Amino acid sequence: MIQFQTFAHLADIDLGEAVSKPTAVEGNPMEAAQALWTSPDGKVEIGVWECTPGRFTTRRDGNSETCHIISGRISLHEEGGRTQEVRPGEVLVLANGWRGEWTIHEKTRKLYIIHHEG
């Protein structure tokens, strides 16, 4: 059976109350997220995430993440030194094993797709 599901405009989805980002290294970034869909086997999750300015560490261990930036501006700092700025409308992929930091320059909202490995 084929299933089809639509969602409200991503900029308008209520994400609930924001909480402190536990891996913050600078500032006090506050994040909120809402899962929109999870595959029946639990290996894929699609959702919307938002975060206020600050800097935090991220590790993609056991999963990869594709992100479409809806609003805001970020810089990704890869372990090893590479930095890339990402703006609204752009897509980024963090492969399984990626490690680094995010700097949120202004409140940012993204659509995310997480693929759990194995």
Side-chain angles (χ1 to χ4, degrees):
M1 174 166 75
I2 297 175
Q3 295 180 338
F4 180 80
Q5 189 168 353
T6 62
F7 303 98
H9 191 275
L10 298 177
D12 298 330
I13 293 173
D14 180 9
L15 304 181
E17 186 175 340
V19 298
S20 291
K21 183 77 178 155
T23 60
V25 294
E26 184 177 300
N28 184 28
M30 302 290 287
E31 67 178 349
Q34 176 69 45
L36 301 176
W37 180 82
T38 303
S39 65
D41 63 5
K43 290 186 177 184
V44 178
E45 179 182 313
I46 300 172
V48 178
W49 173 90
E50 187 171 82
C51 191
T52 61
R55 188 171 176 137
F56 55 87
T57 60
T58 300
R59 296 172 61 137
R60 299 269 52 107
D61 292 328
N63 62 61
S64 62
E65 181 178 15
T66 303
C67 305
H68 178 249
I69 304 301
I70 299 165
S71 62
R73 184 173 60 90
I74 67 169
S75 294
L76 291 176
H77 313 278
E78 226 172 4
E79 248 183 17
R82 179 177 174 221
T83 295
Q84 178 70 45
E85 189 165 306
V86 186
R87 295 180 175 272
E90 296 183 320
V91 174
L92 63 100
V93 177
L94 303 176
N96 185 11
W98 189 89
R99 293 183 181 168
E101 295 182 350
W102 288 57
T103 298
I104 307 291
H105 300 288
E106 57 192 57
K107 189 176 186 180
T108 296
R109 184 173 278 221
K110 70 178 182 181
L111 172 73
Y112 67 85
I113 304 167
I114 297 177
H115 297 268
H116 298 279
E117 307 290 326

